Amino acid sequence: KTNFVESQKSPLADVSPMYFGSKPTDGGFFFLTPEERDKFIKKEPQSIKFIHRVLGAKEYINNIERYCLWLVGITPEELKKSPLIYDRVRQVRKFRLESKAESTRKFADRPTEFKQNAQPDSPYLIVPRVSSENRRYVPIGYIQPDIIATDATQIIPNASLYEFGVMTSNVHMAWMRTVAGKLKSDYRYSSTIVYNTFPWADLLDNQKAEIEKTAQQILEVREKYSTSSLASLYDELTMPPELRKAHQANDKAVMQAYGMTKEVDGKKTWLTESETVARLFEMYEELVSEK
């Protein structure tokens, strides 16, 4: 049987939906380097409330400092009083007017806004759309709502700790490695192919609680290394032993809950990755036939 899944517009299971981050379509004029940000704030101190940290996949994984103008709710007066922001908005409008795409030209009428605003107003889970094949786990995590996520990422507003635990486990990663597309040799994590098709099991409250506990441990260990980038925390050579241990405990909790075990010579052992994927495909087939 081929490992083939059909893309789904929404999750097969009852879990929080995943969206693209916000799409700027701005010719780069909304974005600021740390130096540009400092210049803006020095010249126009009032601009500080409109300047936010921004994360695409690259910035998130490599801890790169980048900023953007987030002008939701800016008044005409505020815009006029900030010549630096005003000039950037003028450039965005010009860029959109000159676009070949009609949908982009339409947005020239709203030059203070990203073309698509998907920004949540509470903490959210961020998933890079492209991630190196050399990592055992795609680095995902929680972000505060004042940090803007671009459409180089997928986001899950209000994702539960349990959902994070399952998604960051080897069970979900095995599914991702099997069904995700590739960009060169990197994995492309897509909501329609990877997340929405993933077969979530119906778990008992105590199983969910165990996964929440191990998921929390992963976040706590990462917090200890908050000055390290996720690229170095998830590099097979430089991953701190306690982070690996926290992930292994989470992997076990999820595999246990999903019943990913078998008997060998009267002993219970874990399924291999390919056996895990085979089991997930059985679950997927069941879910699809119920739809």
Side-chain angles (χ1 to χ4, degrees), residues 35-52:
E35 296 73 34
E36 287 170 328
R37 169 189 181 267
D38 295 346
K39 191 178 96 179
F40 262 63
I41 292 167
K42 204 171 168 183
K43 281 194 165 175
E44 300 173 5
Q46 74 280 18
S47 67
I48 192 163
K49 70 175 193 176
F50 298 113
I51 298 176
H52 289 249

Side-chain angles (χ1 to χ4, degrees), residues 25-27 29 90-109:
T25 317
D26 66 327
F29 296 111
R90 190 182 57 73
Q91 304 255 42
V92 170
R93 178 174 156 76
K94 182 173 181 286
F95 168 78
R96 289 179 180 171
L97 279 173
E98 290 169 356
S99 169
K100 287 188 170 70
E102 190 194 335
S103 62
T104 301
R105 290 198 300 276
K106 269 192 202 153
F107 271 86
D109 289 349

Side-chain angles (χ1 to χ4, degrees), residues 30-212:
F30 281 139
F31 291 83
L32 306 171
T33 63
E35 296 73 34
E36 287 170 328
R37 169 189 181 267
D38 295 346
K39 191 178 96 179
F40 262 63
I41 292 167
K42 204 171 168 183
K43 281 194 165 175
E44 300 173 5
Q46 74 280 18
S47 67
I48 192 163
K49 70 175 193 176
F50 298 113
I51 298 176
H52 289 249
R53 270 293 297 264
V54 66
L55 297 173
K58 203 164 91 185
E59 291 82 7
Y60 175 62
I61 292 173
N62 300 294
N63 205 7
I64 296 167
E65 207 181 322
R66 198 175 179 211
Y67 295 90
C68 74
L69 295 172
W70 189 252
L71 305 174
V72 173
I74 193 170
T75 66
E77 286 70 30
E78 286 172 318
L79 195 50
K80 284 270 167 71
K81 280 185 194 145
S82 305
L84 288 174
I85 294 182
Y86 185 88
D87 186 56
R88 292 291 187 114
V89 170
R90 190 182 57 73
Q91 304 255 42
V92 170
R93 178 174 156 76
K94 182 173 181 286
F95 168 78
R96 289 179 180 171
L97 279 173
E98 290 169 356
S99 169
K100 287 188 170 70
E102 190 194 335
S103 62
T104 301
R105 290 198 300 276
K106 269 192 202 153
F107 271 86
D109 289 349
R110 298 164 70 169
T112 57
E113 297 173 22
F114 274 40
K115 188 177 171 189
Q116 278 151 351
N117 171 358
Q119 188 61 20
D121 50 15
S122 55
Y124 59 95
L125 205 57
I126 187 170
V127 183
R129 281 174 61 192
V130 176
S131 177
S132 164
E133 62 166 356
N134 299 325
R135 294 188 195 105
R136 187 158 172 67
Y137 306 94
V138 171
I140 63 178
Y142 286 99
I143 299 295
Q144 292 305 317
D146 61 333
I147 297 176
I148 309 301
T150 75
D151 60 333
T153 67
Q154 310 264 8
I155 57 174
I156 306 178
N158 306 312
S160 67
L161 199 51
Y162 155 67
E163 287 168 335
F164 166 70
V166 173
M167 284 182 70
T168 202
S169 73
N170 60 348
V171 172
H172 186 73
M173 294 299 159
W175 181 256
M176 188 275 307
R177 277 191 275 276
T178 307
V179 303
K182 286 281 190 90
L183 182 67
K184 300 195 184 100
S185 65
D186 294 340
Y187 290 112
R188 293 188 68 140
Y189 191 109
S190 99
S191 57
T192 53
I193 293 289
V194 182
Y195 181 74
N196 293 346
T197 61
F198 181 69
W200 293 76
D202 279 332
L203 302 186
L204 302 170
D205 287 349
N206 64 331
Q207 294 173 315
K208 285 185 177 179
E210 188 55 38
I211 293 169
E212 282 167 4

